[in-house]
């Protein structure tokens, strides 16, 4: 069972405040009956909910693309710092979470979902899902550094990163493709080749590309085609 206002917000009809107004405006029916109470409990699977006599569908899973801004952490809750979930001004299911982590000062593509199976497919090391980043560094990138990154760079005495793909954009800019997710990986890779990251932005994860029309902090639902491509890994190969 689910509260009606939560159901309507989850269906994408607005914020919790906005859907309460829909109910109070006598625009919502449940099983043919006009509803006035936003805290009414409904069966989200079997009850028929109408907005202006048009059926409202319930989706078990959500898939949201967020252009993560700097200054928020990739977590669902934190007592001291703002999280990526604070970027949303609409209802997001309590079981939704960011797929993977971006550092607090890193921007770019972040998938928010409550589909645990898809998250596992994207994050499991054995799945080798590519992640593409735009990287700006403090000084010019040397050819030796590029060769080291593409060969697989050792970032400390115990850890070695698998080979990356480098596309140099300018003297101090590149696109870097990796498929691991080590802690601060790209920053540590750059440090290992004698350079430092000054700006980092994720552009792509698997088949999912950042929608460049989204400003930092903005989000949108994934399209059906984007969801299908993520779930059918052939699109990544």
């Amino acid at each position: 069972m689910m509260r009606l206002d939560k159901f309507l917000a989850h269906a994408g009809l607005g914020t919790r405040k906005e859907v309460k107004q829909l109910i109070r405006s006598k625009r919502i029916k449940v099983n043919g009956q006009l509803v006035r109470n936003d805290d009414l409990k409904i069966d989200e699977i079997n009850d028929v909910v109408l907005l202006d006599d048009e059926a409202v569908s319930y989706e078990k899973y959500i898939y949201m693309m967020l252009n993560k801004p700097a200054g928020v952490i990739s977590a669902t809750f934190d007592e001291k710092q703002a999280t990526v979930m604070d970027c949303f001004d609409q209802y997001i299911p309590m079981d939704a979470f960011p797929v993977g982590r971006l550092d607090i000062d890193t921007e770019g593509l972040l998938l928010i979902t409550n589909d645990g199976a898809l998250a596992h497919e994207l994050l499991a090391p054995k799945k080798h899902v590519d992640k593409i980043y735009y990287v700006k560094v403090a000084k010019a990138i040397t050819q030796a550094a590029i060769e080291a990154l593409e060969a697989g760079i050792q970032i400390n005495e115990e850890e070695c990163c698998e080979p990356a793909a480098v596309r140099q954009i300018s003297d101090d800019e590149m696109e870097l493709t990796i498929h691991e997710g080590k802690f601060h990986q790209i920053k540590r890779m750059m440090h290992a080749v004698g350079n430092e990251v000054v700006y980092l932005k994720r552009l792509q994860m698997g088949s999912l590309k950042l929608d460049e029309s989204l400003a930092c902090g903005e989000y949108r639902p994934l399209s059906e085609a984007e969801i299908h491509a993520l779930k059918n890994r052939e699109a990544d190969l």
Side-chain angles (χ1 to χ4, degrees):
M1 303 293 284
M2 177 183 289
R3 278 178 55 122
L4 177 61
D5 57 351
K6 181 177 178 180
F7 171 90
L8 295 172
H10 196 174
L13 298 184
T15 64
R16 190 72 71 92
K17 182 178 179 180
E18 289 169 340
V19 300
K20 286 177 185 291
Q21 187 57 44
L22 290 177
I23 296 167
R24 291 165 185 164
S25 300
K26 301 179 181 180
R27 298 175 61 187
I28 303 295
K29 293 180 180 177
V30 177
N31 299 329
Q33 299 297 312
L34 194 64
V35 176
R36 294 181 174 84
N37 298 323
D38 51 52
D39 60 352
L40 175 72
K41 293 290 184 68
I42 66 168
D43 180 336
E44 67 272 20
I45 304 301
N46 297 311
D47 286 343
V48 177
V49 180
L50 303 177
L51 167 62
D52 298 333
D53 293 322
E54 294 288 334
V56 178
S57 61
Y58 172 79
E59 299 293 340
K60 181 178 180 181
Y61 296 119
I62 67 150
Y63 305 91
M64 303 294 289
M65 177 191 299
L66 171 68
N67 186 354
K68 178 192 173 295
V72 298
I73 62 173
S74 298
T76 56
F77 174 78
D78 189 89
E79 292 183 349
K80 297 181 179 180
Q81 295 178 294
T83 76
V84 292
M85 308 308 285
D86 294 318
C87 295
F88 294 88
D89 60 4
Q90 70 176 66
Y91 170 74
I92 299 294
M94 292 293 291
D95 59 350
F97 56 90
V99 178
R101 292 182 178 271
L102 295 179
D103 295 342
I104 189 169
D105 57 349
T106 300
E107 299 178 359
L109 176 67
L110 194 60
L111 173 63
I112 308 293
T113 187
N114 53 354
D115 187 339
L118 176 61
H120 174 75
E121 288 294 313
L122 293 173
L123 296 176
K126 292 182 180 180
K127 301 296 182 179
H128 297 287
V129 175
D130 284 346
K131 304 162 187 78
I132 302 176
Y133 293 81
Y134 165 80
V135 188
K136 184 175 178 62
V137 289
K139 56 186 180 181
I141 306 157
T142 65
Q143 184 60 36
I146 292 174
E147 291 174 0
L149 294 169
E150 292 183 330
I153 190 76
Q154 189 157 348
I155 55 177
N156 62 32
E157 292 182 357
E158 299 178 351
E159 287 185 281
C160 184
C161 294
E162 295 186 16
V166 178
R167 185 176 78 83
Q168 190 165 4
I169 300 172
S170 71
D171 285 348
D172 60 354
E173 298 172 286
M174 71 177 85
E175 281 188 5
L176 188 67
T177 302
I178 62 174
H179 55 256
E180 298 170 286
K182 298 180 186 294
F183 181 69
H184 293 323
Q185 180 171 341
I186 292 177
K187 294 176 181 177
R188 294 162 73 196
M189 290 169 70
M190 293 302 110
H191 183 76
V193 295
N195 217 325
E196 302 298 332
V197 173
V198 297
Y199 179 74
L200 185 60
K201 180 178 182 179
R202 183 155 68 190
L203 305 175
Q204 187 169 340
M205 184 177 190
S207 62
L208 186 63
K209 297 180 180 180
L210 177 65
D211 184 339
E212 293 291 353
S213 70
L214 294 176
C216 279
E218 292 186 339
Y219 57 88
R220 67 163 174 80
L222 267 60
S223 68
E224 289 298 324
E226 288 169 332
I227 296 169
H228 178 79
L230 283 175
K231 292 184 175 182
N232 293 269
R233 288 286 310 286
E234 293 82 1
D236 299 342
L237 302 179

